[in-house]
Coordinates of all heavy atoms in Angstrom, one line a residue:
A23 N 108.1 -33.7 287.8 CA 107.5 -32.4 288.0 C 108.3 -31.3 287.2 O 107.7 -30.5 286.5 CB 107.4 -32.0 289.4
I24 N 109.6 -31.3 287.3 CA 110.4 -30.3 286.6 C 110.3 -30.5 285.1 O 110.2 -29.5 284.3 CB 111.9 -30.3 287.1 CG1 112.7 -29.2 286.4 CG2 112.5 -31.7 286.9 CD1 112.1 -27.8 286.7
D25 N 110.3 -31.8 284.6 CA 110.2 -32.0 283.2 C 108.8 -31.6 282.7 O 108.7 -31.0 281.6 CB 110.4 -33.5 282.9 CG 111.9 -33.8 282.9 OD1 112.7 -32.9 283.0 OD2 112.2 -35.0 282.7
K26 N 107.8 -31.8 283.5 CA 106.4 -31.3 283.1 C 106.4 -29.8 283.0 O 105.7 -29.2 282.1 CB 105.4 -31.9 284.2 CG 104.0 -31.9 283.7 CD 103.1 -32.6 284.8 CE 101.7 -32.8 284.4 NZ 100.9 -33.5 285.5
A27 N 107.0 -29.2 284.0 CA 107.0 -27.7 284.0 C 107.8 -27.2 282.8 O 107.4 -26.2 282.2 CB 107.6 -27.2 285.3
L28 N 108.9 -27.8 282.5 CA 109.7 -27.4 281.3 C 108.9 -27.5 280.0 O 109.1 -26.7 279.1 CB 111.0 -28.2 281.3 CG 112.1 -27.8 282.3 CD1 113.2 -28.9 282.3 CD2 112.7 -26.5 282.0
D29 N 108.2 -28.6 279.9 CA 107.3 -28.8 278.8 C 106.3 -27.6 278.7 O 106.0 -27.1 277.6 CB 106.5 -30.1 278.8 CG 107.4 -31.3 278.6 OD1 108.5 -31.1 278.0 OD2 107.1 -32.4 278.9
E30 N 105.8 -27.2 279.8 CA 104.8 -26.1 279.8 C 105.5 -24.8 279.4 O 104.9 -24.0 278.6 CB 104.2 -25.9 281.2 CG 103.2 -24.8 281.3 CD 102.0 -24.9 280.4 OE1 101.4 -26.0 280.4 OE2 101.7 -23.9 279.7
V31 N 106.7 -24.6 279.9 CA 107.4 -23.4 279.5 C 107.7 -23.4 278.0 O 107.5 -22.3 277.3 CB 108.8 -23.3 280.3 CG1 109.6 -22.2 279.7 CG2 108.5 -23.0 281.8
A32 N 108.1 -24.5 277.5 CA 108.3 -24.6 276.0 C 107.0 -24.4 275.2 O 107.1 -23.8 274.1 CB 108.9 -26.0 275.7
R33 N 105.9 -24.8 275.8 CA 104.6 -24.6 275.1 C 104.1 -23.2 275.2 O 103.6 -22.6 274.2 CB 103.6 -25.6 275.7 CG 102.2 -25.7 274.9 CD 101.2 -26.5 275.7 NE 100.8 -25.8 276.9 CZ 99.9 -24.8 277.0 NH1 99.4 -24.3 275.9 NH2 99.6 -24.3 278.2
S34 N 104.1 -22.7 276.4 CA 103.4 -21.4 276.6 C 104.3 -20.2 276.6 O 103.9 -19.0 276.6 CB 102.6 -21.4 277.9 OG 103.4 -21.8 279.0
G35 N 105.6 -20.4 276.6 CA 106.6 -19.3 276.5 C 106.7 -18.5 277.8 O 106.4 -19.0 278.9
N36 N 107.2 -17.3 277.7 CA 107.4 -16.4 278.8 C 106.2 -15.7 279.3 O 106.0 -14.5 279.0 CB 108.5 -15.4 278.5 CG 109.9 -16.1 278.1 OD1 110.2 -17.1 278.7 ND2 110.6 -15.6 277.2
L37 N 105.4 -16.4 280.0 CA 104.1 -15.8 280.5 C 104.5 -14.7 281.6 O 105.4 -14.9 282.4 CB 103.2 -16.9 281.2 CG 102.7 -18.0 280.2 CD1 102.0 -19.0 281.0 CD2 101.8 -17.3 279.1
P38 N 103.7 -13.6 281.6 CA 104.1 -12.6 282.6 C 103.8 -13.0 284.0 O 102.9 -13.7 284.3 CB 103.1 -11.4 282.2 CG 102.0 -12.1 281.5 CD 102.6 -13.3 280.8
V39 N 104.7 -12.5 284.9 CA 104.5 -12.7 286.3 C 103.3 -11.9 286.8 O 103.2 -10.7 286.5 CB 105.8 -12.3 287.1 CG1 105.6 -12.4 288.6 CG2 107.0 -13.1 286.7
P40 N 102.4 -12.5 287.5 CA 101.2 -11.7 288.0 C 101.7 -10.5 288.8 O 102.7 -10.5 289.5 CB 100.5 -12.7 289.0 CG 100.9 -14.1 288.4 CD 102.3 -13.9 287.9
L41 N 100.9 -9.4 288.7 CA 101.4 -8.1 289.2 C 101.6 -8.2 290.7 O 102.5 -7.6 291.3 CB 100.3 -7.0 289.0 CG 100.4 -6.3 287.6 CD1 99.2 -5.4 287.4 CD2 101.7 -5.6 287.4
H42 N 100.7 -8.9 291.5 CA 100.8 -9.0 292.9 C 102.1 -9.7 293.4 O 102.5 -9.6 294.5 CB 99.6 -9.6 293.6 CG 99.4 -11.0 293.3 ND1 98.9 -11.5 292.1 CD2 99.5 -12.1 294.1 CE1 98.8 -12.8 292.1 NE2 99.2 -13.2 293.3
L43 N 102.7 -10.5 292.5 CA 104.0 -11.2 292.8 C 105.2 -10.5 292.5 O 106.3 -10.9 292.8 CB 104.0 -12.6 292.2 CG 102.9 -13.6 292.6 CD1 103.1 -14.9 291.8 CD2 102.9 -13.8 294.1
R44 N 105.1 -9.4 291.7 CA 106.3 -8.7 291.3 C 106.9 -7.8 292.4 O 106.2 -7.3 293.2 CB 105.9 -7.8 290.1 CG 105.4 -8.5 288.9 CD 105.2 -7.6 287.7 NE 104.5 -8.3 286.6 CZ 104.2 -7.8 285.4 NH1 104.7 -6.6 285.1 NH2 103.6 -8.5 284.5
N45 N 108.2 -7.7 292.3 CA 108.9 -6.8 293.2 C 108.7 -5.4 292.8 O 108.6 -5.0 291.6 CB 110.4 -7.2 293.2 CG 111.2 -6.6 294.3 OD1 110.7 -6.3 295.3 ND2 112.5 -6.3 294.0
A46 N 108.7 -4.5 293.8 CA 108.4 -3.1 293.5 C 109.5 -2.2 294.3 O 109.1 -1.5 295.2 CB 107.0 -2.7 293.9
P47 N 110.7 -2.2 293.8 CA 111.8 -1.4 294.5 C 111.7 0.1 294.2 O 112.4 0.8 294.9 CB 113.1 -2.0 294.0 CG 112.7 -2.5 292.6 CD 111.3 -3.0 292.7
T48 N 111.0 0.5 293.2 CA 110.9 1.9 292.9 C 109.5 2.5 293.0 O 108.5 1.7 292.9 CB 111.5 2.2 291.4 OG1 110.5 1.6 290.5 CG2 112.8 1.5 291.2
A49 N 109.4 3.8 293.1 CA 108.1 4.4 293.2 C 107.3 4.2 291.9 O 106.1 4.0 292.0 CB 108.3 5.9 293.4
L50 N 108.0 4.2 290.8 CA 107.3 4.0 289.5 C 106.6 2.6 289.5 O 105.5 2.5 289.0 CB 108.2 4.2 288.3 CG 107.6 3.8 286.9 CD1 106.5 4.8 286.6 CD2 108.7 3.9 285.8
M51 N 107.3 1.6 289.9 CA 106.8 0.3 289.9 C 105.6 0.2 290.8 O 104.6 -0.5 290.5 CB 107.9 -0.7 290.3 CG 109.0 -0.9 289.3 SD 110.3 -2.0 289.9 CE 111.2 -2.3 288.4
K52 N 105.6 0.9 292.0 CA 104.5 0.9 292.9 C 103.3 1.5 292.2 O 102.2 1.1 292.3 CB 104.9 1.6 294.2 CG 105.8 0.8 295.0 CD 106.2 1.5 296.3 CE 107.2 0.7 297.1 NZ 107.7 1.5 298.3
E53 N 103.5 2.6 291.5 CA 102.5 3.3 290.7 C 101.8 2.4 289.7 O 100.7 2.5 289.3 CB 103.0 4.6 290.1 CG 103.4 5.7 291.0 CD 104.0 6.9 290.3 OE1 104.0 6.9 289.1 OE2 104.6 7.7 291.0
L54 N 102.7 1.5 289.1 CA 102.2 0.5 288.1 C 101.5 -0.7 288.8 O 101.3 -1.7 288.1 CB 103.3 0.1 287.2 CG 103.9 1.2 286.3 CD1 105.1 0.7 285.6 CD2 102.9 1.7 285.4

């Protein structure tokens, strides 16, 4: 599983974290 996931990371690069999963410690981040 980890090798398969690493292959995917190498293939697709740094895909953005979905907005609903992101941390929002500041007011600006919440506004975004």
Side-chain angles (χ1 to χ4, degrees):
I24 184 60
D25 281 355
K26 199 172 183 180
L28 286 169
D29 287 342
E30 178 59 51
V31 170
R33 186 189 67 80
S34 55
N36 297 324
L37 298 174
V39 176
L41 279 174
H42 69 284
L43 297 180
R44 297 186 191 185
N45 190 30
T48 68
L50 175 61
M51 290 176 171
K52 288 177 181 176
E53 289 174 13
L54 295 173

